[in-house]
Amino acid sequence: QVQLVESGGGLVQPGSSLLLSCVASGFTFSTTRMSWVRQVPGVGLQWVSTIGTDEGDTVYAESVKGRFAVSRDNAKGTLYLQMNNLRPEDTAVYYCAKGSPTRGYSSRGQGTQVTVSS
């Protein structure tokens, strides 16, 4: 079955960086569009970024554009999210998701908590 396992979250100060990883299994990762979404308490699920099967095919939410970078290693079946210049409003549980906001998400991992606070 589909499994998505995120890691890399933590408690950091504003301006810091984190690298999130998501190891995927149970489907053909290399031919699947993948996304990062985040759950903000009291706000709901927010889309962060999507990457196509071509690593150059990336899109970002305006709130993270220029600070976050999504990438993938198809040989390792792993999705990444490099987060730089983190802000308190980036605090959320981050999930990798199989799919995209336009076509929907068929699976989501268990999430990893990112807390940005001084």
Side-chain angles (χ1 to χ4, degrees):
Q1 73 274 22
V2 173
Q3 281 196 314
L4 300 168
V5 181
E6 302 95 336
S7 62
L11 170 62
V12 296
Q13 294 186 338
S16 298
S17 297
L18 279 175
L19 175 65
L20 304 185
S21 300
C22 170
V23 178
S25 61
F27 63 101
T28 307
F29 179 78
S30 61
T31 61
T32 303
R33 292 176 68 82
M34 297 294 296
S35 298
W36 286 98
V37 297
R38 63 189 182 187
Q39 182 82 46
V40 179
V43 176
L45 201 64
Q46 295 181 339
W47 168 72
V48 175
S49 179
T50 296
I51 184 168
T53 55
D54 178 353
E55 190 159 3
D57 178 15
T58 58
V59 287
Y60 299 92
E62 283 298 321
S63 59
V64 307
K65 196 175 291 185
R67 300 186 298 123
F68 289 12
V70 62
S71 62
R72 64 193 299 160
D73 185 332
N74 288 335
K76 294 182 178 180
T78 303
L79 180 72
Y80 302 99
L81 185 67
Q82 176 67 49
M83 305 189 295
N84 299 322
N85 191 20
L86 283 160
R87 304 168 179 168
E89 54 264 38
D90 295 318
T91 295
V93 178
Y94 284 73
Y95 301 90
C96 69
K98 180 173 176 281
S100 68
T102 54
R103 297 190 177 185
Y105 308 113
S106 57
S107 295
R108 202 169 67 179
Q110 85 290 346
T112 185
Q113 176 71 48
V114 172
T115 302
V116 185
S117 175
S118 55

